Amino acid sequence: DGTYSRIEPLNGQRWYYQSQNGNLRVSTTGPFGSTVNARGGWTSDRVSFLMPLEIYKHGDTAVANSGCATGVNGCGRMLAGTHRLWETLTGAVPSTSWQAKTGDLTKNNLVLGTDNRSFINQMAYSFTDPTVAIVGTNDGNVQYVFSLGVSGTNNAVAVNVTGANAVLPNRPVQDVIIDAVNPLVGYAAIAGFDQNTPTTPGHVFRVVCTANCATFTWENKTGNLPNIPVNAIMVNPKVPGQVFAGTDWGLYFTDDITAANPIWRRFAGLPRSMIWDLVVDRGYTTLAVFTRSRGAWAWPLPNATDVIFANGFEP
């Protein structure tokens, strides 16, 4: 079974291929090269069948500590999520370069007689600061992680911003992303249905932190979205306030996520299929949409909202 795959975008020579339960291999000589083991030391961790994998791709090629630099590593900072957050600074070469940066970021809810499904569903680096990441778990947690990018184990600072699920629903967090302008603003995409958590309904949520998330505030930004799972979320780095939500019933967007009740519109050019992942490229040129059963799609990212309507969005 194929799961997450990544390509190092600066040199284009490191291709990462993953199979179920966290197995990972890498080619260092492009798409047709032979592969070697790139799996970290998470064999005994709780891990999703589809273990999330991410690579930081937005750094300055002239500044080594920005995450991407000319040389053998290119964009070498990568994250992997089990019940802990793992990071490598050298593109998983060698595989022992993976280091556990945090402790358990989940609720660790073990129900007697069932599998323990407390693991990380997704995580993302900040667009502008690779020392910062956000993590969403299958058991309803969201955590900010600071001080990444330093060699060593358990030396990142995780801040639990779940807020005891007083606003954020205690349902699986399918995806998370950090705002492209302000790294202390994050977004969470929530699975399930409002009926599962009637006192905390909603599917898209926005958190605003003070420095290092010493304090934080959640807001429900679901607006007029239908009551269906949201599986993926992405911001438009070129249009502040514009956010895309991938649902079980197609792709939606809002032009003003800061509104108290954002107005979401559906993208008319895409089948009404489950959206599983949303990706913006290194140069902020393209939104890629990955579906379950209807293939992959891509559109130029708009520079202004009037361009969107020409590209197929409908009320």
Side-chain angles (χ1 to χ4, degrees), residues 3-4 69 80 162 171 181 207 253 292-293:
T3 61
Y4 290 97
T162 308
R171 309 198 307 262
V181 176
V207 63
F253 82 100
R292 299 194 76 170
S293 78

Side-chain angles (χ1 to χ4, degrees), residues 168-301:
L168 184 75
N170 192 10
R171 309 198 307 262
V173 181
Q174 290 290 78
D175 198 13
V176 284
I177 196 69
I178 290 177
D179 188 79
V181 176
N182 185 350
L184 292 176
V185 175
Y187 302 91
I190 307 298
F193 299 89
D194 291 346
Q195 291 83 351
N196 300 127
T197 56
T199 61
T200 51
H203 293 86
V204 172
F205 288 79
R206 181 176 187 255
V207 63
V208 179
C209 287
T210 59
N212 296 315
C213 288
T215 62
F216 54 89
T217 303
W218 282 100
E219 295 178 297
N220 184 348
K221 296 297 183 178
T222 306
N224 63 326
L225 279 175
N227 178 20
I228 52 176
V230 175
N231 309 301
I233 193 156
M234 179 54 66
V235 299
N236 183 350
K238 299 196 292 186
V239 182
Q242 189 174 84
V243 175
F244 303 93
T247 77
D248 271 10
W249 195 233
L251 180 64
Y252 291 78
F253 82 100
T254 180
D255 289 330
D256 185 10
I257 195 66
T258 65
N261 291 290
I263 301 300
W264 294 88
R265 304 174 189 271
R266 192 184 73 84
F267 187 73
L270 191 74
R272 288 191 181 272
S273 60
M274 179 186 290
I275 308 298
W276 197 245
D277 201 9
L278 298 172
V279 177
V280 168
D281 66 309
R282 174 175 164 80
Y284 302 160
T285 67
T286 304
L287 175 70
V289 180
F290 298 88
T291 74
R292 299 194 76 170
S293 78
R294 297 300 297 271
W297 303 68
W299 291 271
L301 269 177

Side-chain angles (χ1 to χ4, degrees), residues 35-56:
T35 65
V36 296
N37 176 52
R39 181 174 184 163
W42 50 72
T43 54
S44 61
D45 281 15
R46 294 191 310 276
V47 60
S48 170
F49 185 80
L50 307 174
M51 186 195 77
L53 180 73
E54 195 50 86
I55 186 167
Y56 184 75

